[in-house]
């Protein structure tokens, strides 16, 4: 599987496939959607801002008029909106080949989602947990389908405090909260993979991280933005681990992809390992149960 320098040239034809990419109005999500649309997939750009969605579709069509791309609105920080998206999607489509849970926020000032969850945990983890559960029936009906969650090397700062998930009792540490949301993406992926295996469900659940990539994500920190200018990759390169997790035929459920360079900061995508804590089965199970309770979305396999 470790062929050198995996690029978009390795993406097989995606004709006939329907793909949802959350947060595809910019950065890694946009480049992920673009690469898949250029390989003939029908791509749904799932975004919270109508203008940005329209603009992203237009940008894709400007480069290639034949791409099949459209946008649908979803606010991952609002469970009603997530539910509405899933309902609209299922009314329109009866297959979903690939769900890429990419949208994210990093180190915003303390704030809460519509449903009163801390913003990073609520958006990055709970919103995608709910979306995946609500779309699972259509994903399950589709042959050869996959779910890809976009995590981060910052998962290493994560260690979920189940007694204070929304930072109501502790003073807010924004990096720790980001790390918690990103290790949650991995617990979710690995537990999903175990549940699929136990129930004989033939869906791949994989994860990826883009190393350090220059995008709008750094908007809340001028210092990070400044240093990223020296080390960060362009979004097109940063999208490669996600793309490999999404389409590489040798990828297996539970795989995690990241760049092959120093400290996984830059490079071409290969299979990597996340930290030891992220493979803890008890924590993953606990997070799963809490996430079902908090979102009101119960998974049916
Ligand atoms: N860039 C890096 O170095 C890096 C490193 C590690 C991991 N990551 C991960 O990569 C993913 C993509 O990030 P990026 O770097 O491409 O940043 P980005 O350009 O800021 O893209 C993030 C996307 O998520 C969307 N989003 C944020 N909150 C949302 C919500 N409530 N509902 C719907 N969409 C929402 C944003 O929409 P708006 O445009 O409307 O804000 C934007 O389209 C994230 O999961 C991030 O954690 C990035």
């Amino acid at each position: 599987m470790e062929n050198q320098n995996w690029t978009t040239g390795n993406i097989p034809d995606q004709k006939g496939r329907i793909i949802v990419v959350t947060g595809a109005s910019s950065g890694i999500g946009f480049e992920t959607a673009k690469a898949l649309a250029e390989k003939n997939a029908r791509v749904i750009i799932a975004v919270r801002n109508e203008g940005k969605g329209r603009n992203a579709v237009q940008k894709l069509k400007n480069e290639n008029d034949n791409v099949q791309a459209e946008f649908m609105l979803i606010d991952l920080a609002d469970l009603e909106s997530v539910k509405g998206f899933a309902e609209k999607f299922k009314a329109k489509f009866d297959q979903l080949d690939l769900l890429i849970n990419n949208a994210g926020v990093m180190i915003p000032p303390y704030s809460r989602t519509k449903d009163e969850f801390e913003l990073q945990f609520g958006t990055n983890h709970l919103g995608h947990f709910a979306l995946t559960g609500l779309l699972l029936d259509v994903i399950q009906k589709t042959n050869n389908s996959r779910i890809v969650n976009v995590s981060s090397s910052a998962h290493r700062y994560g260690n979920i405090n189940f007694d204070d998930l929304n930072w109501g009792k502790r003073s807010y540490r924004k990096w720790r909260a980001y790390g918690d949301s990103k290790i949650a993406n991995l617990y979710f992926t690995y537990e999903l993979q175990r549940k699929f295996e136990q129930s004989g469900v033939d869906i791949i659940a994989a994860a990826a991280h883009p190393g350090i990539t220059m995008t709008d994500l750094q908007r809340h920190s001028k210092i990070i933005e400044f240093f990223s200018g020296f080390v960060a990759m362009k979004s097109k390169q940063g999208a490669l681990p996600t793309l490999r997790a999404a389409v590489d035929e040798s990828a297996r459920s539970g795989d995690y992809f990241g760049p092959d360079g120093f400290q996984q900061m830059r490079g071409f995508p290969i299979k990597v390992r996340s930290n030891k804590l992220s493979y803890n089965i008890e924590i993953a199970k606990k997070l799963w149960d809490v996430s079902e309770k908090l979102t009101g979305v119960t998974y049916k396999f």
Side-chain angles (χ1 to χ4, degrees), residues 98-114:
L98 187 48
L99 170 63
I100 301 184
N101 289 320
N102 161 81
V105 281
M106 185 177 83
I107 59 163
Y110 183 74
S111 44
R112 291 194 178 216
T113 68
K114 193 96 184 278

Side-chain angles (χ1 to χ4, degrees), residues 23-29 47-49 52 74-77 102-105 123 150-153 178 182 210-219:
S25 56
S26 64
I28 291 152
V47 292
R48 61 176 162 179
N49 179 304
K52 285 188 179 181
I74 183 170
D75 182 355
L76 286 149
N102 161 81
V105 281
T123 306
V150 180
S151 181
S152 165
S153 292
Y178 181 63
K182 290 288 137 181
I212 302 182
T213 302
M214 197 66 197
T215 66
D216 290 347
L217 196 72
Q218 291 89 4
R219 71 186 91 169

Side-chain angles (χ1 to χ4, degrees), residues 1 12 57 74 87 102 122 130 150 172 181 184 190 198 203 225 240 242 280:
M1 105 125 63
V57 171
I74 183 170
E87 279 164 9
N102 161 81
V150 180
Y172 188 54
S181 75
Y190 302 149
Q198 285 153 12
I203 301 173
E225 205 173 24
L240 292 178
T242 303
N280 184 297

